[in-house]
Structure formats: C-alpha cells, structure tokens
Amino acid sequence: MGIGQTKFGKIPDTSSRELVAEAFKEALSDAGLSRKDISTLIVSSGTHYDKQRSPAGIMAEYLGLNPIPTLHVEAACASSGVGVRVGWSMIQAGLHDVVAVVGFQKMTELDAAEVQDVMSRSGDVMWESPFGTTMPAYYAMYARAHMDRYGTTEEQLALVSVKNHMYGAKNPYAMFQKEITIGDVLSSRIVASPLKLYDCCANADGATCIILAAEKLARKFTDAPVWLAGLGLASSPMSLTNRSEFASFGCSVLAAKQAYKMAKVTARQIDVAEVHDSFTSAEIMNYEDLGFCKRGEGGKFIEEGQSYIGGKMPVNVDGGLLAKGHPVGATGAAHIISITKQLRNEADASQVPNAKLGLAHNIGGIGMYAVCTVLRAS
Amino acid sequence: MGFEKFGWVSFASQTKVSKFVEYLEAGKIYGTKCLECGLIQFPPRAYCLQCLSTNFEWTLLSGDCELITFTKVEAAPTSFKEQAPYLLGLAEFSEGPKVLAWIDLRIPEENLKAGTKLKLKPSRLQNGNLSYLLTSPNLR
C-alpha cells in the first residue's frame, strides 16, 4: 500500500525517532493516507545498538499515534521482515485493517568494534560468545564450509560484491554509490578469513516503513496495490554445535518452500529477488537455498552473471546490503520496499523489465531465522 | 554460581550445569548423557535436546575431534581486542557432539582444513578464567 525509507548510511545529527518519522511520513504520503487511518503500529529493530528500551513506546508517541496499539518485534536482522508477517497476521485475523510496520536502526553511535560486541551476543552467550565470535566470523565459517564442499572460490565471492556495488551506484538511497572491481575486493583487508572487508556489509543508520491494508481497503485506496502473495518463516539452531549443515541455511530453505507454496509459484517463476547478502558468501548460499540454481552451483551462478538483470534471476539489483548498508532492523522491510518498486515499475535505473512476481528474503542473526515474502503485482 | 569463570568474557553466571566448570578446573572435559534416551550432549544440557528429560549423568569426553570449519578473526569485538587475531573452529567429537572453541595459534592456519584431527584440552586463560582449546594431539 505505502512504502517509505530514509537514505541508509552514516546519518549524522539524526536520532532513531527522527529516522522513523521520515520513513513513516514518506509511506503515508505514498499510500495517500493520514495518521488517523492507521489502526496499529509495529516497530521492528535489533536490540542494544542504542539505549532506548521498549522502542515501540517512544515511536508511537513521536509519530503522534497514541492511543492505537503498538508493539515491538525483534528477530535480529530479520526484525522488520518478521514485523510485516505479524502485521499481515493481524489483518488476516480481522483485528486491524491498516497496519504500519516501521523498521529502524541507529548503529553509527557505536564504533565498529562496539557493534561487534553487540552482535557477538547474537550467538549463544553461554557457549560461543565467550570465544569472541563475531557476525563475520560465523559467516566466514559457513563460507569456508561452502568452499570446502563445492570448490567455491574467493573470486566468485568477490564477484557478488562487484555486482551489488554496480547496482548500488544507481541507487540514491544506498550507502556506497560507487562501483568497485574484483581487485578492490580481493585486496581489501581480512576481517575473518576468508572474508575480506568488501565481502562484508557495513553498519548503517536507516529506517523503513511499510503500510499494509486489508484487501478491500487496499482496492479502495489504490488502483494497483502490490499483494503479499506468500509468506514463510522458519528457524535453525542458534548454536553451531546443534546444526548439522554449514554450507546452507536450513531455515531459508524451509521459509522459501512455505512462501512459494502459499503463493502457488515455483522459484523459476520469480522475476526479481532481494536476498540477504550481509556477506558475499551468504548471497551465493541463498541462490541455492532459495532454488535459483542447483546445490553447489551458487559460485557458478554469479560467475555466469545469472544474478544480473538479463540473467536467470536478477538478485539485489538495488545494491543489496553490501552497497546499501545494513541498518539491522530496517533491512527486512527495505527488501520488501525494493521489490514493491520493481512490481510497480518504479525501480528506475535498476528496473527488471515486466517484473510481476518478486521474492524478498531476510535472514536473522547468524542464520537462526529466515523470512521469505513473495509479492505479486496487481 | 561458578559459570562466571568460563571463558575470556562470561555473559552468564548461573546454570544447572555449572559443575562443568569444576570438571574443567580438574583438567577434564565432561558432557552430559541423557539417562532416558541415551543422547550424549556437548555443551552440557540439564534438559535433553531430544526428549527434554532432566535425568542425566556427566560423561567424560575423550577430546578427540575433527575440524569441520574455521576462521581467523582479525577484527575483534571491543572485549576481545587484546586477544586478536585468534582462530575460531568448529569441531566434531568422536563421541558425536560438536564444540566451538579457539584453535591453538601454534597450528599454522594453512595446516588446517575440514577433517584435520584435533584434541580439545582444558585451558587456563591469562585472566585466570577457565576455557578449552582445540589443539594438535601432538602439542603439549
């Protein structure tokens, strides 16, 4: 119904509530609604990047939405992807007819090492965080498992970053709007071997807002709503010690299956996808988990350019997290916003011709949650 | 109490399995074995993963393991700055369960690969806390 987002990146002199207000105003205006039309507010973010506890309270107040219901939804990097699912459920249950879902994160008040401190506690704090685990370290271990098993190379990983930065250069909302070369990626400093700086997304500030409406109302407000056609959500063990697979995210496979089934589509029918590329290796694993290519052929998929516009499945043609930046709580909704633009034919320089069906995929934390949303054009 | 002594930084102090730390102090690595379904678990659990039974006994683990995957962390969190760079590895015990731990830095990174035989040994950290380390069976 309505979409809005701030630019992502280091946004100085702006608080999280101000970021949220900007995204919310844009979504209201996009939907042609006013505040009195909103019947509930879902606020999504990761915790501990700022000091505010129970952020739904301050956001509902700052947006002038009291006394409507409000609540906070947290699923680490998948917070707002899950927030959209919660909003959809409320509408389906008949509790509310117009739901605003906002996602936000203000990350740049902490330095990179402090953010690592927060993020390391997205792993098991009893048995893993005491070893100084980090988000890149976990994904590096998955990357190595994929490389070991399928022969995926560091060059193939680098190609993902090259593609996403190429598209990011066309996206005015992206944190990095500059193309890079494979050499830039390969020569960047190691963060957690084999992952290098340009294999990793950047911490960012940003907010997003999506306004969902019941079918009847959506048809009344707009001629061409974009429909949530399929939803999937699944979990995997948080601890690596209780996982059996490291070259794939089991929760992604399940969430995608659920979403495809509900939308009555197959992966092949999807015209454009936004997947969780917090790291280059994750994008390659996602190609396989979401059914864009066979197991083990993710490296070849990017090498052949199949995830560019014109390839078998255009992926992250808005720049992905690698170029856009990754304001944790805002990311899931940002994926859905990019797909919505594609399906409305409003994606400008990165428009996939004739896109009718899109997939937004969002992973939480170190791969313990995955949410998939299939969207359909009117 | 007792669990606050585990790891370079411990984020929890109380657990029903804190006896694990006492065993570690005595130089032994113990897992738990469910007396209902027989599952051997590491890290130890008071509630069985398979059947949620609380009826368990402590079982001594050999420490023999095989590396599954690993990474060298160059960019460390604030609380681990002085430890960096460090090798983090995930390994599987010959008894079945898995462990995530630091790998002995005396093992060159290029000698590590999936399947490398390692030994998990109790260790004492510079801050006096207790931990365990994946090392080579030949290193002391």
Side-chain angles (χ1 to χ4, degrees):
Chain A
M1 269 292 302
I3 51 175
Q5 76 167 92
T6 64
K7 186 179 183 305
F8 287 178
K10 194 169 172 58
I11 304 174
D13 303 324
T14 308
S15 66
S16 55
R17 67 192 71 178
E18 292 154 355
L19 291 168
V20 164
E22 182 184 336
F24 178 69
K25 272 181 80 177
E26 193 179 303
L28 271 184
S29 133
D30 179 59
L33 297 177
S34 66
R35 279 183 288 182
K36 64 177 176 14
D37 298 312
I38 306 295
S39 50
T40 196
L41 173 73
I42 295 176
V43 176
S44 309
S45 65
T47 56
H48 298 102
Y49 296 102
D50 60 42
K51 300 285 187 242
Q52 180 68 57
R53 295 185 66 222
S54 209
I58 196 64
M59 294 309 171
E61 177 195 327
Y62 198 72
L63 300 177
L65 290 172
N66 298 129
I68 67 164
T70 186
L71 74 155
H72 184 236
V73 172
E74 191 276 336
C77 323
S79 295
S80 53
V82 176
V84 166
R85 179 185 169 98
V86 172
W88 179 89
S89 310
M90 287 174 156
I91 291 171
Q92 288 297 313
L95 273 176
H96 301 291
D97 51 11
V98 182
V99 177
V101 181
V102 297
F104 77 90
Q105 215 72 67
K106 176 79 189 172
M107 299 174 79
T108 64
E109 283 175 326
L110 302 178
D111 72 28
E114 288 167 335
V115 169
Q116 298 262 46
D117 239 16
V118 173
M119 285 194 171
S120 80
R121 286 182 284 127
S122 305
D124 178 351
V125 294
M126 284 186 71
W127 300 101
E128 297 190 356
S129 314
F131 294 97
T133 52
T134 65
M135 207 53 78
Y138 280 109
Y139 280 82
M141 287 190 275
Y142 311 148
R144 196 180 303 273
H146 199 274
M147 294 163 99
D148 269 357
R149 183 169 318 163
Y150 303 117
T152 311
T153 63
E154 292 184 35
E155 287 74 15
Q156 290 171 332
L157 264 52
L159 285 171
V160 172
S161 196
V162 171
K163 168 179 71 76
N164 293 0
H165 280 85
M166 186 205 99
Y167 287 117
K170 305 173 197 288
N171 181 351
Y173 291 93
M175 183 170 186
F176 304 111
Q177 298 177 25
K178 192 171 157 255
E179 295 197 23
I180 57 169
T181 66
I182 189 164
D184 293 334
V185 186
L186 292 175
S187 62
S188 61
R189 69 178 165 85
I190 292 176
V191 173
S193 66
L195 298 179
K196 295 169 269 308
L197 187 65
Y198 280 124
D199 285 307
C200 308
C201 65
N203 305 321
D205 305 330
T208 45
C209 179
I210 294 180
I211 297 174
L212 304 170
E215 185 174 345
K216 250 195 202 157
L217 280 174
R219 288 194 196 278
K220 202 172 95 186
F221 288 128
T222 162
D223 296 334
V226 168
W227 303 105
L228 294 178
L231 293 93
L233 176 64
S235 64
S236 289
M238 183 188 250
S239 309
L240 296 200
T241 47
N242 278 320
R243 284 195 208 168
S244 51
E245 177 55 59
F246 304 96
S248 160
F249 295 106
C251 51
S252 291
V253 175
L254 284 175
K257 268 190 190 153
Q258 293 167 19
Y260 294 150
K261 188 175 172 197
M262 185 173 156
K264 299 191 178 68
V265 299
T266 62
R268 268 169 200 278
Q269 289 171 271
I270 303 289
D271 299 309
V272 56
E274 281 285 308
V275 308
H276 202 81
D277 61 326
S278 45
F279 299 91
T280 51
S281 51
E283 180 165 318
I284 286 180
M285 287 162 67
N286 296 333
Y287 296 156
E288 299 168 13
D289 289 342
L290 303 174
F292 304 161
C293 67
K294 284 190 196 142
R295 182 74 47 214
E297 294 186 359
K300 202 172 111 195
F301 198 74
I302 178 70
E303 208 167 73
E304 293 174 353
Q306 301 290 7
S307 46
Y308 279 81
I309 295 174
K312 281 185 184 157
M313 179 69 69
V315 176
N316 293 337
V317 296
D318 63 350
L321 310 184
L322 289 165
K324 281 188 302 184
H326 180 25
V328 170
T331 286
H335 286 174
I336 295 176
I337 288 171
S338 284
I339 293 295
T340 302
K341 286 182 181 167
Q342 287 283 349
L343 301 181
R344 287 174 172 181
N345 203 16
E346 291 173 0
D348 303 328
S350 287
Q351 181 65 45
V352 172
N354 211 18
K356 295 280 178 253
L357 204 57
L359 172 71
H361 159 261
N362 185 199
I363 289 181
I366 55 177
M368 61 269 196
Y369 321 117
V371 54
C372 283
T373 312
V374 173
L375 295 108
R376 196 191 300 273
S378 287
Chain B
M1 295 294 278
F3 200 74
E4 71 282 354
K5 285 191 279 183
F6 178 70
W8 179 252
V9 182
S10 180
F11 298 96
S13 61
Q14 302 184 17
T15 165
K16 290 179 193 290
V17 294
S18 62
K19 200 166 180 198
F20 172 79
V21 182
E22 293 171 34
Y23 284 128
L24 209 52
E25 192 145 29
K28 310 261 188 234
I29 290 170
Y30 271 79
T32 48
K33 182 178 179 181
C34 176
L35 291 171
E36 301 293 334
C37 72
L39 186 70
I40 295 177
Q41 297 172 94
F42 191 90
R45 289 176 60 115
Y47 290 78
C48 175
L49 177 63
Q50 199 158 262
C51 68
L52 289 182
S53 166
T54 52
N55 192 8
F56 70 86
E57 65 177 12
W58 289 95
T59 182
L60 183 66
L61 296 173
S62 63
D64 295 331
C65 20
E66 265 187 27
L67 189 61
I68 297 171
T69 185
F70 70 97
T71 180
K72 190 172 204 174
V73 178
E74 303 278 352
T78 317
S79 342
F80 291 84
K81 277 255 143 104
E82 2 173 351
Q83 304 294 307
Y86 43 89
L87 282 163
L88 263 179
L90 178 72
E92 186 170 52
F93 286 103
S94 58
E95 291 91 344
K98 300 182 193 80
V99 57
L100 182 133
W102 280 334
I103 302 176
D104 197 329
L105 280 169
R106 292 176 295 170
I107 308 176
E109 193 180 353
E110 54 276 18
N111 289 7
L112 295 169
K113 57 177 196 306
T116 300
K117 302 259 188 253
L118 296 170
K119 185 101 179 168
L120 188 74
K121 291 183 183 168
S123 64
R124 193 172 281 276
L125 304 171
Q126 290 127 296
N127 63 4
N129 276 5
L130 294 154
S131 186
Y132 38 69
L133 179 73
L134 285 163
T135 183
S136 161
N138 315 317
L139 287 170
R140 292 200 147 258

